[in-house]
Structures are given as C-alpha cells and as structure tokens.
Amino acid sequence: TLFRSQAEQLLHNNNREEAQAILEKVLEAEPSSEQARVLLAELLVFTHPDRATELVQEVLADSKLYARAEAVRVFVRLGNILSAPETLPEDPARQQYLDAIRALEDRNFDVALDNFINVIRENRYYDNDGSRKACIAIFAYLGEEHESTRRYRRSFDSALY
C-alpha cells in the first residue's frame, strides 16, 4: 500500500515512468491487487490500450474500483473508433463526436467534455449513448475533485435533463 500511494503521488506529479515501474513491481508481488491493476491501466490506457484492457478485465461491477475500470474500457473503445471512423453512423453529430474522441486521445479533457456534451444536446443516443458514457468515464478517470469535472458536471447534467 505504501507503493501504491507512492505510485499515485508520482502519477499526480506526472512522473509516469517511475509510477509505472512501481506499479509493475506491486503487481509482481500482488498480481491480484485490483488497485494496482486499475492504476496501471489508467496510466497505460492511451499508450497501450490492449494491456490496459487486460488489466481491468476482471474488475467487476461489485468492485469499488468498477467506475474507474469501466472508464478505461470506454476510453479503449472510443480509441478503437478512431481507427475505423466509418463504422459510426452518419449523423450531424458525427464530426463533433470524432473531434471529442480525438481531444480525449490527446488528453485534452476540457475540449473532449465540451464536444461530448454538445453531442448529447444534439443527439443524446448517438453511438449507443456514447457521449454520456464518455463524460461519465472522463469524470471517473479525473476524479470528482478535478477542475474539469467540476467545471463540466453541471452542463453535463443539464444536457441530459
């Protein structure tokens, strides 16, 4: 657990390589550590999506880390759309949805949230409610206290209702 909090601190300070090294060691020692698996998946989701998916595969709905694991799965799914954008249905919201996914891939969360929320306003159920799921995933990934979560939560809620 000392390692995990150390890894979280390193991540917070954007020291990704050192955090990854620590988390890999934690997982060697405790392969079943859900917390280490989710943290490492969050760290790798944009660079090694297959590994990230594998790490959260067994984090199920009864886990307290489920929302964060689900965020990883949503991000990977959205990233896969970018390699085959033609699979998305034709719709006026399509371009903005793709722009949102690109912003997410660049970790530009404000632009991603802004675009996803606009897609919700335009066509709530586009890509099987993809924008709503994306916003929830971003909020889970960033955490409730993050500036972007706080800034966009209200407009997300009002777009839905």
Side-chain angles (χ1 to χ4, degrees):
T1 44
L2 173 68
F3 284 126
R4 281 196 291 269
S5 57
Q6 195 180 353
E8 283 181 328
Q9 191 57 49
L10 288 165
L11 279 175
H12 184 72
N13 297 328
N14 222 8
N15 191 336
R16 303 173 76 76
E17 282 94 31
E18 212 175 319
Q20 182 177 347
I22 288 173
L23 290 167
E24 298 283 6
K25 281 185 187 132
V26 170
L27 281 177
E28 260 174 55
E30 310 170 51
S32 63
S33 168
E34 234 177 39
Q35 191 178 11
R37 295 173 76 80
V38 170
L39 271 172
L40 186 57
E42 288 174 333
L43 182 66
L44 298 174
V45 68
F46 296 108
T47 54
H48 298 88
D50 292 343
R51 174 100 195 278
T53 301
E54 196 179 292
L55 285 163
V56 297
Q57 196 172 335
E58 292 166 23
V59 181
L60 305 175
D62 60 352
S63 167
K64 65 182 178 21
L65 297 172
Y66 179 76
R68 289 171 55 188
E70 192 58 23
V72 168
R73 291 187 271 263
V74 168
F75 289 174
V76 170
R77 180 188 165 276
L78 291 170
N80 290 336
I81 287 173
L82 284 185
S83 49
E86 68 281 355
T87 60
L88 284 175
E90 273 305 321
D91 188 274
R94 181 178 188 215
Q95 189 54 54
Q96 190 158 36
Y97 189 64
L98 286 168
D99 292 345
I101 297 171
R102 280 189 200 93
L104 176 63
E105 286 287 301
D106 293 339
R107 298 183 199 124
N108 189 338
F109 299 110
D110 287 1
V111 171
L113 284 163
D114 200 44
N115 280 307
F116 282 129
I117 289 167
N118 285 331
V119 171
I120 291 170
R121 289 190 177 115
E122 200 169 311
N123 180 351
R124 158 80 196 266
Y125 297 105
Y126 186 70
D127 188 33
N128 193 24
D129 215 11
S131 288
R132 181 188 63 80
K133 293 173 185 169
C135 288
I136 290 169
I138 293 170
F139 296 148
Y141 179 81
L142 296 176
E144 290 303 316
E145 297 308 307
H146 193 279
E147 183 184 319
S148 297
T149 301
R150 287 150 77 137
R151 184 177 315 125
Y152 286 94
R153 176 67 80 177
R154 187 175 289 121
S155 53
F156 169 71
D157 290 343
S158 75
L160 288 178
Y161 312 104

